[in-house]
Amino acid sequence: MVSERDPGFGVYIHWPFCAAKCPYCDFNSHVRHQPVDQERFARAFETELATMSARTGPRQVTSIFLGGGTPSLMKPQTVATVLEAVARNWTVPDGIEITLEANPSSVEAERFRGYRAAGVNRVSLGVQALNDADLRFLGRLHNVAEALHAIGLAREIFPRLSFDLIYARPNQKPEAWASELEQAIGHAADHLSLYQLTIEEGTRFHALHQAHKFEIPDADHAAELYAITQEVTASRGLPAYEISNHARPGAESRHNLTYWRYGEYVGIGPGAHGRFVEGGRRVVTITEKMPETWANLVEARGHGVTGGEVLTRSEEADEFLLMGLRLAEGIDLVRYEALSGRPLSSPRISVLQEEGLVASIGNSRLRATASGMIVLDAVVADLAR
Protein backbone atom coordinates (compact mmCIF):
# COMPACT_ATOMS: atom_id res chain seq x y z
CA MET A 1 0.00 0.00 0.00
CA VAL A 2 1.29 3.43 -0.91
CA SER A 3 1.91 5.65 2.11
CA GLU A 4 4.07 8.65 2.74
CA ARG A 5 6.62 6.59 4.64
CA ASP A 6 6.65 4.00 1.87
CA PRO A 7 5.64 5.89 -1.29
CA GLY A 8 5.90 2.78 -3.39
CA PHE A 9 7.43 1.46 -6.59
CA GLY A 10 5.41 2.10 -9.72
CA VAL A 11 5.66 0.88 -13.30
CA TYR A 12 4.68 3.30 -16.05
CA ILE A 13 4.06 1.98 -19.58
CA HIS A 14 3.81 4.55 -22.39
CA TRP A 15 1.70 3.73 -25.45
CA PRO A 16 2.63 6.57 -27.82
CA PHE A 17 -0.06 6.32 -30.50
CA CYS A 18 -3.21 8.41 -30.92
CA ALA A 19 -5.99 8.57 -33.50
CA ALA A 20 -5.43 12.35 -33.70
CA LYS A 21 -3.13 14.88 -32.06
CA CYS A 22 -5.04 17.23 -29.75
CA PRO A 23 -4.10 20.89 -30.32
CA TYR A 24 -3.26 21.50 -26.63
CA CYS A 25 -1.20 18.33 -26.13
CA ASP A 26 2.57 18.39 -25.70
CA PHE A 27 2.83 14.76 -24.59
CA ASN A 28 4.82 12.26 -26.63
CA SER A 29 2.02 11.09 -28.91
CA HIS A 30 2.06 10.15 -32.59
CA VAL A 31 -0.56 9.53 -35.25
CA ARG A 32 -0.01 6.62 -37.64
CA HIS A 33 -2.19 6.19 -40.72
CA GLN A 34 -1.28 2.53 -41.06
CA PRO A 35 -2.06 -0.10 -38.41
CA VAL A 36 0.53 -0.23 -35.62
CA ASP A 37 2.42 -3.52 -35.28
CA GLN A 38 1.20 -4.16 -31.75
CA GLU A 39 2.91 -7.52 -31.48
CA ARG A 40 6.27 -5.88 -32.19
CA PHE A 41 5.72 -3.18 -29.58
CA ALA A 42 4.49 -5.71 -27.02
CA ARG A 43 7.74 -7.68 -27.49
CA ALA A 44 9.74 -4.48 -27.12
CA PHE A 45 7.90 -3.62 -23.90
CA GLU A 46 8.71 -7.12 -22.60
CA THR A 47 12.39 -6.67 -23.43
CA GLU A 48 12.72 -3.22 -21.87
CA LEU A 49 10.88 -4.37 -18.74
CA ALA A 50 13.42 -7.18 -18.31
CA THR A 51 16.31 -4.75 -18.73
CA MET A 52 14.88 -2.34 -16.17
CA SER A 53 14.25 -5.20 -13.76
CA ALA A 54 17.93 -6.12 -13.94
CA ARG A 55 18.75 -2.52 -13.01
CA THR A 56 16.31 -2.13 -10.12
CA GLY A 57 16.71 -5.60 -8.65
CA PRO A 58 13.82 -7.35 -6.87
CA ARG A 59 11.01 -4.97 -5.99
CA GLN A 60 7.37 -5.19 -5.01
CA VAL A 61 5.23 -3.20 -7.43
CA THR A 62 2.58 -0.99 -5.83
CA SER A 63 0.91 0.32 -8.99
CA ILE A 64 0.99 0.03 -12.78
CA PHE A 65 -0.13 2.82 -15.11
CA LEU A 66 -0.67 2.49 -18.87
CA GLY A 67 -0.56 6.03 -20.23
CA GLY A 68 -0.08 7.75 -23.53
CA GLY A 69 -0.91 8.56 -26.18
CA THR A 70 -4.11 6.55 -26.18
CA PRO A 71 -3.67 3.18 -24.47
CA SER A 72 -7.29 2.31 -25.25
CA LEU A 73 -6.14 1.82 -28.85
CA MET A 74 -4.21 -1.22 -27.61
CA LYS A 75 -5.70 -4.65 -28.10
CA PRO A 76 -6.63 -6.33 -24.82
CA GLN A 77 -4.08 -9.05 -25.64
CA THR A 78 -1.36 -6.41 -25.91
CA VAL A 79 -2.29 -5.11 -22.47
CA ALA A 80 -2.33 -8.67 -21.08
CA THR A 81 1.13 -9.37 -22.54
CA VAL A 82 2.58 -6.25 -20.93
CA LEU A 83 1.02 -6.89 -17.52
CA GLU A 84 2.23 -10.49 -17.57
CA ALA A 85 5.74 -9.21 -18.33
CA VAL A 86 5.62 -6.85 -15.34
CA ALA A 87 4.64 -9.79 -13.12
CA ARG A 88 7.52 -11.89 -14.46
CA ASN A 89 10.07 -9.25 -13.56
CA TRP A 90 8.93 -8.00 -10.15
CA THR A 91 6.57 -9.10 -7.40
CA VAL A 92 3.03 -7.94 -8.20
CA PRO A 93 0.65 -8.52 -5.27
CA ASP A 94 -3.01 -9.23 -5.91
CA GLY A 95 -5.27 -6.21 -5.99
CA ILE A 96 -2.75 -3.46 -6.70
CA GLU A 97 -3.97 -0.48 -8.69
CA ILE A 98 -3.63 -1.02 -12.46
CA THR A 99 -4.80 2.02 -14.43
CA LEU A 100 -5.37 2.41 -18.16
CA GLU A 101 -6.03 5.77 -19.84
CA ALA A 102 -8.84 5.74 -22.39
CA ASN A 103 -10.47 8.15 -24.79
CA PRO A 104 -14.28 8.00 -25.08
CA SER A 105 -14.01 7.81 -28.86
CA SER A 106 -12.05 4.55 -28.68
CA VAL A 107 -14.30 2.85 -26.12
CA GLU A 108 -16.09 -0.39 -26.86
CA ALA A 109 -17.72 -2.59 -24.24
CA GLU A 110 -15.99 -5.71 -25.51
CA ARG A 111 -12.59 -4.02 -25.41
CA PHE A 112 -13.23 -2.69 -21.89
CA ARG A 113 -14.15 -6.19 -20.73
CA GLY A 114 -10.95 -7.46 -22.34
CA TYR A 115 -8.88 -4.92 -20.37
CA ARG A 116 -10.64 -5.93 -17.17
CA ALA A 117 -9.91 -9.61 -17.88
CA ALA A 118 -6.24 -8.68 -18.46
CA GLY A 119 -6.06 -7.20 -14.95
CA VAL A 120 -6.88 -3.51 -15.36
CA ASN A 121 -8.97 -2.38 -12.38
CA ARG A 122 -9.01 1.40 -12.83
CA VAL A 123 -9.69 3.46 -15.95
CA SER A 124 -8.95 7.14 -16.51
CA LEU A 125 -11.11 8.69 -19.24
CA GLY A 126 -10.03 11.76 -21.21
CA VAL A 127 -13.43 13.45 -21.29
CA GLN A 128 -12.08 17.06 -21.15
CA ALA A 129 -15.43 18.90 -21.51
CA LEU A 130 -19.15 18.29 -21.17
CA ASN A 131 -20.34 20.48 -24.00
CA ASP A 132 -19.94 19.71 -27.66
CA ALA A 133 -18.73 23.15 -28.78
CA ASP A 134 -15.76 23.04 -26.42
CA LEU A 135 -15.01 19.43 -27.31
CA ARG A 136 -14.71 20.52 -30.94
CA PHE A 137 -12.48 23.45 -29.95
CA LEU A 138 -10.24 21.06 -27.97
CA GLY A 139 -9.92 18.80 -31.00
CA ARG A 140 -11.58 15.83 -29.33
CA LEU A 141 -13.00 13.04 -31.49
CA HIS A 142 -15.96 12.31 -29.20
CA ASN A 143 -19.10 14.22 -28.28
CA VAL A 144 -20.84 14.51 -24.91
CA ALA A 145 -23.17 11.58 -25.57
CA GLU A 146 -20.21 9.32 -26.35
CA ALA A 147 -18.38 10.56 -23.24
CA LEU A 148 -21.33 9.75 -20.99
CA HIS A 149 -21.69 6.35 -22.65
CA ALA A 150 -18.02 5.62 -21.95
CA ILE A 151 -18.38 6.75 -18.33
CA GLY A 152 -21.37 4.45 -17.90
CA LEU A 153 -19.50 1.48 -19.37
CA ALA A 154 -16.47 2.16 -17.20
CA ARG A 155 -18.57 2.34 -14.05
CA GLU A 156 -20.20 -0.96 -14.98
CA ILE A 157 -16.98 -2.84 -15.80
CA PHE A 158 -14.18 -1.43 -13.62
CA PRO A 159 -14.01 -1.16 -9.82
CA ARG A 160 -12.54 2.34 -10.06
CA LEU A 161 -12.98 5.25 -12.47
CA SER A 162 -11.53 8.70 -12.98
CA PHE A 163 -12.05 11.21 -15.74
CA ASP A 164 -10.38 14.44 -16.80
CA LEU A 165 -11.83 17.85 -17.54
CA ILE A 166 -10.05 20.96 -18.80
CA TYR A 167 -11.22 24.36 -17.55
CA ALA A 168 -10.24 28.01 -18.14
CA ARG A 169 -11.32 27.53 -21.73
CA PRO A 170 -11.94 30.59 -23.94
CA ASN A 171 -14.97 32.62 -22.84
CA GLN A 172 -15.74 30.19 -20.00
CA LYS A 173 -17.95 31.89 -17.42
CA PRO A 174 -17.67 30.99 -13.72
CA GLU A 175 -21.34 29.96 -13.49
CA ALA A 176 -21.01 27.76 -16.59
CA TRP A 177 -17.97 26.00 -15.14
CA ALA A 178 -19.70 25.47 -11.79
CA SER A 179 -22.68 23.91 -13.59
CA GLU A 180 -20.46 21.67 -15.73
CA LEU A 181 -18.54 20.59 -12.64
CA GLU A 182 -21.76 19.68 -10.82
CA GLN A 183 -22.77 17.61 -13.85
CA ALA A 184 -19.38 15.87 -13.86
CA ILE A 185 -19.58 15.03 -10.17
CA GLY A 186 -22.98 13.51 -10.80
CA HIS A 187 -21.37 11.04 -13.22
CA ALA A 188 -18.04 10.53 -11.43
CA ALA A 189 -17.49 7.44 -9.33
CA ASP A 190 -14.79 8.60 -6.95
CA HIS A 191 -12.10 10.65 -8.71
CA LEU A 192 -11.79 13.68 -11.01
CA SER A 193 -8.71 15.28 -12.58
CA LEU A 194 -9.39 18.95 -13.32
CA TYR A 195 -6.71 20.78 -15.28
CA GLN A 196 -6.44 24.42 -16.25
CA LEU A 197 -5.90 24.93 -19.97
CA THR A 198 -2.32 26.01 -20.55
CA ILE A 199 -0.71 26.96 -23.84
CA GLU A 200 2.34 24.75 -24.34
CA GLU A 201 5.10 25.63 -26.74
CA GLY A 202 5.21 23.46 -29.84
CA THR A 203 1.48 22.72 -29.84
CA ARG A 204 -1.05 23.87 -32.43
CA PHE A 205 -2.76 25.96 -29.76
CA HIS A 206 0.51 27.80 -29.15
CA ALA A 207 0.68 28.91 -32.78
CA LEU A 208 -3.01 29.87 -32.84
CA HIS A 209 -2.74 31.76 -29.56
CA GLN A 210 0.34 33.62 -30.77
CA ALA A 211 -1.65 34.60 -33.86
CA HIS A 212 -4.47 35.92 -31.59
CA LYS A 213 -6.96 33.40 -32.95
CA PHE A 214 -8.33 32.89 -29.45
CA GLU A 215 -7.78 34.12 -25.90
CA ILE A 216 -7.78 32.23 -22.62
CA PRO A 217 -8.87 33.68 -19.26
CA ASP A 218 -6.42 36.07 -17.64
CA ALA A 219 -4.79 35.24 -14.29
CA ASP A 220 -7.57 36.73 -12.16
CA HIS A 221 -10.32 34.94 -14.10
CA ALA A 222 -8.37 31.66 -14.00
CA ALA A 223 -7.90 32.05 -10.24
CA GLU A 224 -11.66 32.53 -9.85
CA LEU A 225 -12.30 29.34 -11.85
CA TYR A 226 -9.74 27.50 -9.70
CA ALA A 227 -11.48 28.70 -6.52
CA ILE A 228 -14.85 27.51 -7.85
CA THR A 229 -13.26 24.14 -8.61
CA GLN A 230 -12.08 23.76 -5.03
CA GLU A 231 -15.37 24.91 -3.50
CA VAL A 232 -17.69 22.76 -5.61
CA THR A 233 -15.65 19.55 -5.36
CA ALA A 234 -15.12 19.91 -1.60
CA SER A 235 -18.82 20.55 -1.02
CA ARG A 236 -19.67 17.40 -2.98
CA GLY A 237 -17.24 15.11 -1.13
CA LEU A 238 -14.36 15.10 -3.66
CA PRO A 239 -11.85 17.49 -2.06
CA ALA A 240 -8.52 18.26 -3.72
CA TYR A 241 -5.78 15.97 -2.48
CA GLU A 242 -3.40 17.41 -5.10
CA ILE A 243 -3.48 20.70 -6.96
CA SER A 244 -5.48 19.28 -9.89
CA ASN A 245 -6.84 16.01 -8.51
CA HIS A 246 -9.94 15.39 -6.43
CA ALA A 247 -11.17 12.20 -4.80
CA ARG A 248 -13.39 10.72 -2.19
CA PRO A 249 -11.22 9.72 0.80
CA GLY A 250 -9.44 6.47 -0.02
CA ALA A 251 -9.96 6.78 -3.79
CA GLU A 252 -6.83 8.80 -4.55
CA SER A 253 -4.66 7.63 -7.45
CA ARG A 254 -2.08 5.39 -5.80
CA HIS A 255 0.22 5.55 -8.80
CA ASN A 256 0.27 9.33 -8.91
CA LEU A 257 0.74 9.49 -5.14
CA THR A 258 3.95 7.54 -5.72
CA TYR A 259 5.16 10.40 -7.94
CA TRP A 260 4.03 13.18 -5.62
CA ARG A 261 5.38 11.49 -2.49
CA TYR A 262 8.68 11.03 -4.32
CA GLY A 263 8.64 7.28 -4.59
CA GLU A 264 10.39 5.24 -7.26
CA TYR A 265 9.13 4.20 -10.67
CA VAL A 266 10.39 2.81 -13.94
CA GLY A 267 9.29 4.30 -17.25
CA ILE A 268 8.86 1.88 -20.17
CA GLY A 269 8.16 2.77 -23.78
CA PRO A 270 8.83 5.68 -26.15
CA GLY A 271 9.49 8.94 -24.33
CA ALA A 272 8.95 7.48 -20.85
CA HIS A 273 10.84 8.81 -17.83
CA GLY A 274 11.86 6.77 -14.78
CA ARG A 275 13.28 7.62 -11.36
CA PHE A 276 14.59 4.85 -9.13
CA VAL A 277 17.42 4.09 -6.75
CA GLU A 278 20.34 2.20 -8.28
CA GLY A 279 23.56 1.63 -6.40
CA GLY A 280 22.36 3.83 -3.57
CA ARG A 281 21.67 6.86 -5.80
CA ARG A 282 18.50 8.06 -7.46
CA VAL A 283 18.84 7.86 -11.24
CA VAL A 284 16.72 9.37 -14.01
CA THR A 285 16.09 7.44 -17.24
CA ILE A 286 14.66 8.98 -20.43
CA THR A 287 13.82 6.87 -23.45
CA GLU A 288 13.84 7.70 -27.16
CA LYS A 289 10.65 9.54 -28.14
CA MET A 290 10.10 8.33 -31.71
CA PRO A 291 8.23 5.01 -31.43
CA GLU A 292 9.86 3.14 -34.29
CA THR A 293 13.34 4.36 -33.35
CA TRP A 294 12.71 3.29 -29.76
CA ALA A 295 11.65 -0.18 -30.93
CA ASN A 296 14.79 -0.46 -33.07
CA LEU A 297 16.97 0.44 -30.09
CA VAL A 298 15.23 -2.07 -27.83
CA GLU A 299 15.65 -4.83 -30.40
CA ALA A 300 19.32 -3.96 -30.85
CA ARG A 301 20.41 -3.49 -27.23
CA GLY A 302 17.56 -4.37 -24.88
CA HIS A 303 16.36 -0.86 -24.03
CA GLY A 304 15.52 2.50 -25.56
CA VAL A 305 17.13 4.71 -22.91
CA THR A 306 18.88 7.65 -24.56
CA GLY A 307 19.22 10.09 -21.68
CA GLY A 308 19.23 10.53 -17.95
CA GLU A 309 21.40 11.41 -15.01
CA VAL A 310 22.31 10.61 -11.43
CA LEU A 311 20.71 13.18 -9.15
CA THR A 312 22.64 15.06 -6.49
CA ARG A 313 21.21 15.32 -2.98
CA SER A 314 20.26 18.92 -3.67
CA GLU A 315 18.44 17.94 -6.88
CA GLU A 316 16.57 15.17 -5.07
CA ALA A 317 15.50 17.59 -2.35
CA ASP A 318 14.30 20.14 -4.91
CA GLU A 319 12.24 17.50 -6.72
CA PHE A 320 10.80 16.27 -3.43
CA LEU A 321 9.77 19.83 -2.60
CA LEU A 322 8.29 20.49 -6.04
CA MET A 323 6.25 17.29 -6.04
CA GLY A 324 5.25 17.16 -2.38
CA LEU A 325 3.91 20.70 -2.09
CA ARG A 326 1.38 19.86 -4.80
CA LEU A 327 -0.32 17.65 -2.22
CA ALA A 328 -2.86 18.84 0.35
CA GLU A 329 -0.93 16.79 2.92
CA GLY A 330 2.24 18.78 2.17
CA ILE A 331 5.74 17.55 2.91
CA ASP A 332 7.60 15.95 5.80
CA LEU A 333 10.30 18.44 6.82
CA VAL A 334 12.45 15.69 8.32
CA ARG A 335 12.48 13.80 5.03
CA TYR A 336 13.42 16.99 3.19
CA GLU A 337 16.36 17.49 5.53
CA ALA A 338 17.44 13.86 5.11
CA LEU A 339 17.45 14.27 1.32
CA SER A 340 19.14 17.67 1.17
CA GLY A 341 21.42 17.51 4.18
CA ARG A 342 20.02 20.79 5.48
CA PRO A 343 16.66 22.06 6.79
CA LEU A 344 14.46 24.49 4.94
CA SER A 345 15.12 28.11 5.91
CA SER A 346 12.97 29.05 8.91
CA PRO A 347 13.05 32.80 8.07
CA ARG A 348 11.89 32.03 4.52
CA ILE A 349 9.08 29.81 5.82
CA SER A 350 8.03 32.57 8.21
CA VAL A 351 7.80 35.15 5.41
CA LEU A 352 5.70 32.79 3.28
CA GLN A 353 3.46 32.08 6.29
CA GLU A 354 2.95 35.79 6.86
CA GLU A 355 1.98 36.14 3.20
CA GLY A 356 -0.57 33.34 3.63
CA LEU A 357 1.12 31.06 1.08
CA VAL A 358 2.23 28.17 3.31
CA ALA A 359 1.07 26.72 6.61
CA SER A 360 2.64 24.39 9.16
CA ILE A 361 0.97 21.13 10.12
CA GLY A 362 2.15 20.43 13.64
CA ASN A 363 5.90 20.73 14.04
CA SER A 364 6.99 18.42 11.25
CA ARG A 365 5.03 19.22 8.08
CA LEU A 366 4.58 22.10 5.68
CA ARG A 367 1.86 22.57 3.08
CA ALA A 368 0.87 25.17 0.53
CA THR A 369 -2.33 27.07 1.32
CA ALA A 370 -5.10 27.60 -1.24
CA SER A 371 -3.48 30.96 -2.13
CA GLY A 372 -0.07 29.29 -2.30
CA MET A 373 -1.32 26.62 -4.70
CA ILE A 374 -2.18 29.30 -7.26
CA VAL A 375 1.45 30.54 -7.26
CA LEU A 376 3.07 27.23 -6.35
CA ASP A 377 6.05 27.54 -8.68
CA ALA A 378 7.04 30.81 -7.01
CA VAL A 379 6.57 29.31 -3.53
CA VAL A 380 8.80 26.32 -4.38
CA ALA A 381 11.44 28.55 -5.96
CA ASP A 382 11.53 30.74 -2.83
CA LEU A 383 11.82 27.77 -0.45
CA ALA A 384 14.47 26.02 -2.55
CA ARG A 385 16.87 28.99 -2.61
Side-chain angles (χ1 to χ4, degrees):
M1 178 65 69
V2 175
S3 68
E4 192 192 1
R5 289 190 174 182
D6 181 12
F9 177 79
V11 177
Y12 175 78
I13 311 289
H14 190 79
W15 183 256
F17 301 107
C18 283
K21 183 78 172 180
C22 295
Y24 56 83
C25 177
D26 68 339
F27 292 168
N28 187 44
S29 58
H30 303 264
V31 176
R32 296 290 179 264
H33 299 295
Q34 298 297 322
V36 172
D37 185 346
Q38 294 206 20
E39 289 74 16
R40 182 192 184 197
F41 277 89
R43 289 193 300 271
F45 285 136
E46 290 181 287
T47 300
E48 192 166 69
L49 282 162
T51 299
M52 287 300 181
S53 172
R55 292 186 63 174
T56 67
R59 299 292 180 92
Q60 180 164 293
V61 176
T62 51
S63 63
I64 303 170
F65 196 102
L66 296 107
T70 306
S72 54
L73 295 175
M74 299 168 77
K75 300 171 185 175
Q77 183 52 52
T78 305
V79 172
T81 297
V82 173
L83 295 181
E84 288 162 7
V86 174
R88 280 199 304 273
N89 286 288
W90 295 283
T91 301
V92 178
D94 291 340
I96 69 162
E97 179 186 275
I98 302 176
T99 302
L100 180 136
E101 290 183 334
N103 278 346
S105 55
S106 61
V107 164
E108 303 167 9
E110 184 178 352
R111 185 171 289 223
F112 261 20
R113 291 192 175 93
Y115 297 145
R116 182 71 190 100
V120 174
N121 54 24
R122 181 177 182 270
V123 69
S124 177
L125 284 169
V127 172
Q128 313 309 6
L130 288 174
N131 73 72
D132 286 337
D134 281 358
L135 285 172
R136 287 191 294 272
F137 167 74
L138 292 169
R140 307 300 287 166
L141 299 180
H142 63 273
N143 58 31
V144 172
E146 289 168 326
L148 297 181
H149 173 69
I151 290 168
L153 275 179
R155 292 191 67 163
E156 174 189 331
I157 294 168
F158 296 96
R160 298 178 61 201
L161 161 71
S162 177
F163 63 86
D164 300 355
L165 293 177
I166 293 174
Y167 68 96
R169 308 188 294 259
N171 304 312
Q172 189 173 38
K173 301 289 188 272
E175 58 274 16
W177 172 233
S179 175
E180 187 173 347
L181 198 46
E182 290 280 1
Q183 183 187 0
I185 291 169
H187 292 286
D190 56 18
H191 192 286
L192 286 173
S193 296
L194 306 169
Y195 300 108
Q196 184 175 322
L197 177 62
T198 55
I199 307 301
E200 304 294 345
E201 200 165 334
T203 64
R204 188 147 45 94
F205 267 3
H206 184 265
L208 293 170
H209 190 255
Q210 290 287 96
H212 305 290
K213 298 296 185 183
F214 69 89
E215 296 297 327
I216 58 174
D218 62 23
D220 289 342
H221 187 181
E224 182 181 8
L225 293 169
Y226 175 79
I228 288 169
T229 304
Q230 309 314 302
E231 292 163 11
V232 172
T233 54
S235 70
R236 295 291 301 274
L238 277 82
Y241 68 97
E242 188 268 346
I243 193 167
S244 300
N245 285 271
H246 305 254
R248 302 194 191 284
E252 299 85 357
S253 166
R254 297 168 201 163
H255 187 83
N256 287 338
L257 279 174
T258 294
Y259 296 157
W260 296 320
R261 288 173 172 165
Y262 209 50
E264 298 177 63
Y265 57 97
V266 294
I268 305 297
H273 290 212
R275 274 169 170 73
F276 54 87
V277 174
E278 181 179 38
R281 301 294 301 276
R282 188 176 291 253
V283 300
V284 177
T285 61
I286 304 170
T287 59
E288 163 63 39
K289 287 185 174 182
M290 187 57 64
E292 292 78 11
T293 307
W294 170 83
N296 290 338
L297 288 171
V298 174
E299 289 163 356
R301 64 184 194 186
H303 65 86
V305 176
T306 55
E309 60 183 319
V310 178
L311 296 177
T312 65
R313 290 181 70 183
S314 176
E315 288 168 335
E316 283 193 78
D318 286 351
E319 288 191 344
F320 170 74
L321 194 65
L322 179 66
M323 300 302 284
L325 283 178
R326 296 177 64 91
L327 289 166
E329 70 187 22
I331 61 165
D332 181 341
L333 294 171
V334 173
R335 189 174 174 208
Y336 175 86
E337 186 171 350
L339 286 169
S340 68
R342 61 178 177 84
L344 285 171
S345 166
S346 295
R348 210 164 285 142
I349 291 174
S350 295
V351 169
L352 291 170
Q353 285 177 322
E354 289 168 10
E355 293 173 348
L357 300 176
V358 300
S360 296
I361 306 173
N363 296 320
S364 62
R365 301 189 66 78
L366 187 73
R367 65 174 179 85
T369 63
S371 298
M373 285 290 190
I374 295 173
V375 291
L376 189 60
D377 287 349
V379 170
V380 170
D382 197 15
L383 285 171
R385 281 190 298 148

